[in-house]
């Protein structure tokens, strides 16, 4: 699964820590998601998408091998 | 993949209620370290100084053991500072690895024992030592310790990941 959280974060000029605080998770979690090491739950995906004011599909994308 | 993931979340939500508050982790470390210090100081006191009468030493050792066991329980079952889905999935993964390790250790020792008995190439001494190692490795305490070590390594890697970002 791909995601463009890093890009969207840069667009809003917020750090990993700020995004983590806004979604009630640790900075490690946001970092792991950005690196593709961890797949977030539906709940967290929805929270992230709400902060970026986008839909989940616009942030997360399936890859061919998924 | 998706079905499996949603099941994981249900497990995560259920598991969250079993964990102790975060301050138990600090209590756990304090008891763990003092327990070991007292244990080795006690060994020295019992054997060399003979301050404590032999009759009491057995009960004292039991109490120290109890505290060390408790500390491992606290360390393994208390929440992180920020308990979220990453720590929960890390817990599940660590638990799975611990299960594999314990099963492999169990199998190896069972086979080692069977072979030792069948071919009689072990002396009674080494047979006894093997028994002690088996007893140490295959008990809930050691499994918990293995689990804590694996979990801590994984968390450390995630922490290192964010340090590399800076």
């Amino acid at each position: 699964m791909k995601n463009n959280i890093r890009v969207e974060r840069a667009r809003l000029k917020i750090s990993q820590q700020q995004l983590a605080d806004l979604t009630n998770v640790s900075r490690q979690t946001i970092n792991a998601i950005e690196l593709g090491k961890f797949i977030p739950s539906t709940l967290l995906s929805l929270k992230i998408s709400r902060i970026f004011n986008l839909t989940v599909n616009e942030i997360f994308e399936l890859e061919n091998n998924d | 993949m998706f079905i499996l993931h949603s099941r994981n979340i249900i497990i995560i939500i259920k598991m969250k209620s079993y964990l102790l508050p975060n301050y138990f982790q600090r209590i756990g470390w304090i008891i763990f370290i003092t327990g070991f210090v007292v244990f080795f100081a006690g060994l020295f006191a019992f054997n060399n100084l003979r301050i404590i009468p032999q009759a009491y030493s057995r009960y004292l050792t039991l109490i120290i053991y109890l505290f060390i066991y408790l500390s491992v329980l606290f360390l393994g079952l208390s929440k992180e500072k920020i308990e979220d889905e990453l720590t929960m999935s890390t817990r599940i993964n660590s638990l799975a690895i611990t299960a594999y390790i314990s099963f492999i250790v169990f199998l190896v020792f069972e086979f080692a024992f069977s072979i030792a008995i069948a071919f009689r190439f072990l002396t009674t001494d080494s047979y006894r030592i093997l028994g002690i190692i088996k007893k140490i490795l295959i008990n809930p305490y050691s499994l918990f310790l293995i689990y804590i070590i694996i979990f801590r390594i994984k968390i450390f890697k995630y922490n290192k990941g964010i340090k590399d970002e800076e």
Side-chain angles (χ1 to χ4, degrees):
Chain A
M1 200 174 82
K2 283 193 296 195
N3 68 71
N4 52 4
I5 292 176
R6 185 162 294 213
V7 178
E8 293 302 326
R9 231 169 19 81
R11 190 171 61 82
L12 287 187
K13 293 195 181 75
I14 56 171
S15 65
Q16 284 186 344
Q17 186 63 59
Q18 282 167 320
L19 183 60
D21 293 340
L22 288 168
T23 48
N24 285 329
V25 294
S26 63
R27 203 190 137 189
Q28 284 85 335
T29 308
I30 299 294
N31 187 52
I33 295 168
E34 278 186 7
L35 295 173
K37 285 180 185 168
F38 178 68
I39 298 174
S41 67
T42 319
L43 191 73
L44 183 54
S45 314
L46 285 167
K47 279 184 187 172
I48 291 169
S49 69
R50 192 169 59 186
I51 286 157
F52 292 142
N53 213 1
L54 295 167
T55 62
V56 175
N57 280 354
E58 284 170 306
I59 299 168
F60 300 96
E61 206 181 311
L62 275 177
E63 279 176 306
N64 289 333
N65 55 352
D66 281 332
Chain B
M1 173 82 192
F2 280 115
I3 298 162
L4 213 146
H5 192 59
S6 65
R7 260 188 212 145
N8 274 354
I9 293 158
I10 294 164
I11 295 165
I12 286 165
I13 293 162
K14 277 184 182 167
M15 261 181 88
K16 232 171 196 173
S17 55
Y18 291 116
L19 293 172
L20 298 163
N22 179 245
Y23 60 79
F24 272 90
Q25 207 157 97
R26 211 174 307 153
I27 298 172
W29 279 118
I30 292 165
I31 300 175
F32 188 74
I33 292 162
T34 40
F36 265 91
V37 170
V38 170
F39 181 73
F40 286 108
L43 271 185
F44 182 71
F46 293 149
N47 297 333
N48 300 37
L49 306 175
R50 297 185 188 283
I51 298 167
I52 303 152
Q54 284 285 314
Y56 296 116
S57 68
R58 200 196 305 160
Y59 302 109
L60 264 172
T61 324
L62 259 178
I63 292 166
I64 293 164
Y65 271 140
L66 182 76
F67 272 95
I68 292 175
Y69 284 151
L70 266 181
S71 70
V72 170
L73 190 79
F74 288 170
L75 286 176
L77 286 179
S78 57
K79 282 179 188 164
E80 287 298 292
K81 259 194 196 119
I82 303 171
E83 188 70 38
D84 59 6
E85 45 194 78
L86 182 73
T87 49
M88 270 301 164
S89 84
T90 312
R91 272 179 214 286
I92 294 168
N93 288 338
S94 314
L95 218 56
I97 296 169
T98 311
Y100 275 115
I101 290 173
S102 65
F103 193 71
I104 289 165
V105 167
F106 177 72
L107 272 187
V108 165
F109 273 93
E110 281 303 303
F111 274 105
F113 265 83
S114 311
I115 291 165
I117 291 162
F119 294 98
R120 294 161 196 240
F121 58 57
L122 281 179
T123 57
T124 35
D125 260 355
S126 52
Y127 188 79
R128 213 184 64 228
I129 291 164
L130 204 66
I132 293 167
I133 294 171
K134 189 185 166 192
K135 215 175 158 187
I136 291 169
L137 281 176
I138 305 166
N139 69 37
Y141 169 76
S142 309
L143 296 183
F144 247 109
L145 214 57
I146 293 168
Y147 163 74
I148 291 166
I149 291 165
I150 294 168
F151 180 71
R152 284 286 138 215
I153 290 170
K154 279 175 180 282
I155 293 288
F156 174 76
K157 274 186 186 163
Y158 284 124
N159 289 341
K160 203 170 159 280
I162 64 163
K163 284 219 176 89
D164 294 341
E165 285 288 302
E166 282 160 359

